[in-house]
Amino acid sequence: MTNKILILPGDGIGQEVMIEVEKIIGWFNSNKDFNAEIEYGLVGGASYDADGVAISDATMQLAQKSDAVLFGAVGGPKWDDVAYEHRPEAGLLRLRKELDLFANLRPAICFSSLSDSSSLKKEIVEDLDILIVRELTGGVYFGEPRGIEELENGNRRGTNTQVYETWEIQRIAEVAFELARKRKNKVTSSEKRNVMESGLLWYEEVKKIHQEKYNDVELDHMLADNCGMQLVRWPKQFDVIVTDNLFGDMLSDVAAMLTGSLGMLPSASLGKAVNGLFESALYEPVHGSAPDISGQGIANPLASILSFSMALKYSFGRNKDSKLLEDSISKVLDDGSRTKDIADDGDFISTSEMGNKVIENLEILNKE
Ligand code: IPM
Ligand code: MG
């Protein structure tokens, strides 16, 4: 059986970091019978330059047929003036929507050897391990009506719609509760029920499904603004946070920064599971295309490599291989290897040297 992987490097440092991911896949092919068959496609600005769209129908078909999509990053100032529907981000949103990737898992883990890099005090973030479960195919990102219109009085009006139906809330809540059971068994659900009816519905539905199916899991409800504040005040109070598309976008950036290393954080966007494995899935680093440093060979490839490690676990059921890869990365960090973003003004190594270090440590740990 071959494992079909589609690599979409995208723009900026996305292209550089995905080269390192390919090396890692190659290692698993040679040493662990991983049997990956890789295809490549364009997305974002790169796709716009080639095809005039942020992702082509042909690439969408490849994505539909693959077991996992590995995504780099999209965007950059070069495409600031392209028509809104063709902006680089539209490629990512189309993938999420058409593959029905409704569950976005964003772990915020503070590697102990990096706990000095956070802007928060060491004791607040040391050993932090929280998971944000963000609803990814609904809410204001996709709600209708939307648009900008001219009004008769000369003003213009911009509209977006925050809308959720019960089934959308239920399915993401189930993902959060299931994941919590494998962790510290606690879920915090976050919305703005004090202002928005969609938030009230969210609150009621999460509460209901908890009572019906998951009352062994501890559940808290927290208004989204307070949740942002609590994340910075005392992040270790959280285990799993479940929230909607827009709040999840913001809260996951806050959580990411707690760890002091945006360049280290992976994510998984998952569709429906069949027998515990996700049939469609996209894995991407939380960081963006970073046009300011692209082309210099200094980007940190670890977030993308950790995203592949999530793919090993969620799409291919290879928990041991996933752990081996994570351990190799921890060891690389413990040994003091740093890319520029996490170097604290000390010595740093290049993107490709970091990829090679991970491979060296895979070799070592694999023999143990
Ligand atoms: C993210 C990004 C995207 C989002 C952008 C690139 C469309 O910020 O994945 O968090 O807003 O979802
Ligand atoms: Mg974001």
Side-chain angles (χ1 to χ4, degrees), residues 74 87-90 92-93 96 104 106 134 136 141 245-246 248-250 252-253 267 284-286:
V74 290
R87 70 197 185 286
E89 291 79 3
L92 178 58
L93 296 172
R96 288 175 180 172
N104 184 214
R106 299 193 165 184
R134 168 187 176 194
L136 202 61
Y141 272 60
N245 206 342
L246 184 61
D249 183 42
M250 297 189 59
S252 63
D253 264 27
S267 79
E284 63 175 312
V286 169

Side-chain angles (χ1 to χ4, degrees), residues 303-322:
S304 290
I305 297 175
L306 284 164
S307 299
F308 173 61
S309 155
M310 292 184 89
L312 286 171
K313 180 148 80 188
Y314 293 111
S315 289
F316 303 112
R318 290 177 167 249
N319 292 0
K320 272 197 194 144
D321 287 343
S322 171

Side-chain angles (χ1 to χ4, degrees), residues 52 64 111 128 151 160 163 166 175 239 271 283:
Q64 296 278 5
F111 287 81
L128 181 74
L151 300 180
N160 290 92
V163 53
T166 47
V175 170
D239 178 24
Y283 300 87

Side-chain angles (χ1 to χ4, degrees), residues 273-278 313-314:
V274 177
N275 298 330
L277 291 183
F278 293 88
K313 180 148 80 188
Y314 293 111

